Amino acid sequence: MVSEPKWHKCSACYKQFNKKEHLVEHMKVSYHSVHQPKCGICKKHCRSFESLREHSKGWLAKDSCSKIFHELGCGLCMKVFESSIFLSEHKWTCHLIPPTRLGTISLPSMELKTSIPDISNGDIVPKIHEAIAMDCEMVGGGSDGTLNLCGRVCLIDENEDILFHAYVQPQMPVTDYRSDLTGLSEEHLRDAMPLKEVQEKILEILYNGESIGMARVDGGKAKLLVGHSLEHDLDCLNMSYPDHLIRDTAKYHPLMKTNLVSHSLKYLTKMYLGYDIQMGIHDPFEDCVSVMRLYKRMREQDHLKDFIGACHATEFQTNEFECCKMKDLEKLTPDELFEMSRSKYRCWCLDMVHKVPPQLCRVKRLKACEY
């Protein structure tokens, strides 16, 4: 009598394999972790919120999950609640209203002076991971108007207060003001702020008195820079900023499509915040507020409570499978393999993590994985 093969099920995504080595190979390339979006009903881990949305309410949704989610799930943040009363109360805070647009009529440059705390005088130390959102509106240069030039820039803080706003004087002639999208004209940029001065003011805000070479991800005074497709904004400003201090909603894995292609900010705002933006002329303040709200919504997720061993940010970027032999990995249970697995991206919830005693940050390593 031929015995049926024993199936080995992944503890994260529930895929099944008829050989343990195939499960191990799956864990090596899947980068499962507690930071992945997870179904609040069956606890299945998904690659992105888009995948979770398909699992919970899409065309191919799992029946048991779809039924419960329809009654108790929030379509924006994808959380599942214990009762319809809790869900109703939650929706008041989850479904946001759009910010008031700045517009372009007679709007001058503005700057909110922020004082840099002086620790030596007893000032309060700033938050470790304070964030600044930035958005630029671009006009066209070159013979065909396809060269992106910064025509307007806006920076806000976490409270949605404007720190800096200015029309920007391009370094070459503008051949296309792209007025249908930007709302800008020659009049707006005639007496605009020179690009070099704009650069200096932005860097002053972002580095917050700290030298460029000393900017750190943990501690320090430099701010996190939040935006959508920030490489385009920084490029048109002819600026750079340390990668470890950038939070880009276009490149954050949980906010991307199932194939890890970027969504537009307009789509993300509608699907995760519940309102429409960029209806007609694009407004940099409106985009700044939306991208900051998206960042804060992702940052406020509490994944660490499910896994006491995961405290240091660097641990989430280390693939521990590389230091173990296949024969040793095959001895581990699916749960133990999942405990070893780490996310391929740095979860934004770690921006809220302060230093934790080392004894709480030990990751379980079995003797089977030691040389």
Side-chain angles (χ1 to χ4, degrees):
M1 181 176 178
V2 179
S3 61
E4 295 183 0
K6 178 181 178 182
W7 292 94
H8 305 276
K9 185 167 71 171
C10 173
S11 295
C13 67
Y14 303 153
K15 287 184 179 179
Q16 298 189 71
F17 304 88
N18 60 0
K19 291 185 179 181
K20 190 64 171 292
E21 63 183 277
H22 294 166
L23 171 60
V24 172
E25 290 298 333
H26 163 75
M27 296 303 294
K28 285 184 176 181
V29 299
S30 63
Y31 296 95
H32 287 311
S33 80
V34 293
H35 295 293
Q36 287 182 317
K38 182 172 64 174
C39 176
I41 303 159
C42 71
K43 310 305 179 185
K44 176 183 177 181
H45 289 250
C46 300
R47 295 183 69 185
S48 66
F49 278 105
E50 201 74 5
S51 302
L52 177 57
R53 202 179 301 276
E54 287 296 320
H55 168 84
S56 303
K57 53 184 292 188
W59 291 106
L60 300 176
K62 185 177 178 181
D63 289 341
S64 57
C65 294
S66 177
K67 183 178 179 180
I68 298 175
F69 189 86
H70 178 73
E71 297 175 354
L72 301 174
C74 174
L76 294 179
C77 67
M78 303 305 294
K79 292 180 181 178
V80 178
F81 295 84
E82 296 180 359
S83 71
S84 57
I85 296 177
F86 289 156
L87 173 61
S88 180
E89 292 175 349
H90 163 80
K91 285 184 176 180
W92 282 101
T93 59
C94 195
H95 193 130
L96 304 179
I97 61 173
T100 302
R101 298 164 61 92
L102 286 181
T104 59
I105 301 175
S106 302
L107 182 65
S109 298
M110 63 182 74
E111 180 180 2
L112 175 64
K113 292 292 184 180
T114 55
S115 59
I116 300 172
D118 184 354
I119 299 176
S120 63
N121 292 333
D123 286 356
I124 299 175
V125 180
K127 281 201 308 183
I128 291 180
H129 294 294
E130 190 174 353
I132 301 294
M134 181 176 76
D135 183 72
C136 296
E137 295 301 328
M138 304 170 197
V139 293
S143 58
D144 57 358
T146 59
L147 182 62
N148 288 327
L149 306 173
C150 184
R152 186 181 183 187
V153 62
C154 182
L155 277 74
I156 68 167
D157 62 15
E158 292 189 19
N159 298 318
E160 302 179 8
D161 294 324
I162 295 177
L163 296 178
F164 178 66
H165 171 272
Y167 294 118
V168 184
Q169 189 178 89
Q171 291 183 304
M172 62 176 63
V174 177
T175 54
D176 184 359
Y177 285 92
R178 305 174 184 174
S179 300
D180 291 344
L181 290 178
T182 66
L184 300 179
S185 63
E186 181 180 358
E187 182 181 354
H188 289 103
L189 304 188
R190 182 176 295 120
D191 298 317
M193 186 178 293
L195 179 61
K196 182 174 179 58
E197 186 177 346
V198 170
Q199 294 169 338
E200 292 173 351
K201 290 186 178 296
I202 292 175
L203 290 176
E204 180 183 354
I205 292 171
L206 292 179
Y207 283 107
N208 198 29
E210 187 170 51
S211 65
I212 295 177
M214 291 296 292
R216 304 184 296 281
V217 65
D218 291 312
K221 300 176 183 177
K223 309 295 181 68
L224 298 178
L225 178 59
V226 181
H228 190 82
S229 297
L230 274 168
E231 73 274 13
H232 299 308
D233 291 333
L234 291 170
D235 185 56
C236 78
L237 287 167
N238 196 21
M239 291 174 53
S240 63
Y241 201 60
D243 288 342
H244 66 275
L245 294 174
I246 287 179
R247 302 292 182 265
D248 195 329
T249 54
K251 295 183 176 181
Y252 189 51
H253 286 198
L255 290 176
M256 299 176 81
K257 300 179 182 179
T258 54
N259 59 354
L260 296 183
V261 173
S262 301
H263 279 296
S264 67
L265 178 58
K266 182 175 183 177
Y267 175 88
L268 293 176
T269 301
K270 180 65 174 179
M271 296 303 292
Y272 294 93
L273 302 178
Y275 62 86
D276 292 304
I277 63 169
Q278 299 176 353
M279 305 296 286
I281 293 175
H282 291 198
D283 189 288
F285 175 70
E286 182 183 55
D287 289 356
C288 274
V289 170
S290 298
V291 81
M292 178 61 81
R293 290 175 177 178
L294 282 168
Y295 166 71
K296 290 170 69 175
R297 182 152 290 183
M298 294 296 105
R299 184 182 67 178
E300 289 166 1
Q301 295 179 95
D302 187 6
H303 301 127
L304 298 184
K305 65 181 180 182
D306 297 326
F307 187 38
I308 191 64
C311 295
H312 284 318
T314 54
E315 291 178 346
F316 288 95
Q317 300 171 331
T318 302
N319 191 340
E320 296 189 16
F321 295 112
E322 299 301 326
C323 66
C324 299
K325 297 177 180 178
M326 175 62 77
K327 64 178 182 179
D328 294 328
L329 291 170
E330 290 181 7
K331 298 176 183 178
L332 305 181
T333 67
D335 286 344
E336 290 168 342
L337 288 171
F338 174 62
E339 188 174 321
M340 290 178 61
S341 187
R342 293 292 179 268
S343 173
K344 198 174 184 178
Y345 59 91
R346 187 185 191 281
C347 184
W348 289 347
C349 79
L350 295 171
D351 291 345
M352 299 295 286
V353 176
H354 296 262
K355 291 186 177 180
V356 180
Q359 60 269 25
L360 296 180
C361 299
R362 294 173 185 154
V363 178
K364 183 178 180 182
R365 292 182 175 85
L366 302 177
K367 291 183 178 180
C369 291
E370 296 179 356
Y371 286 100

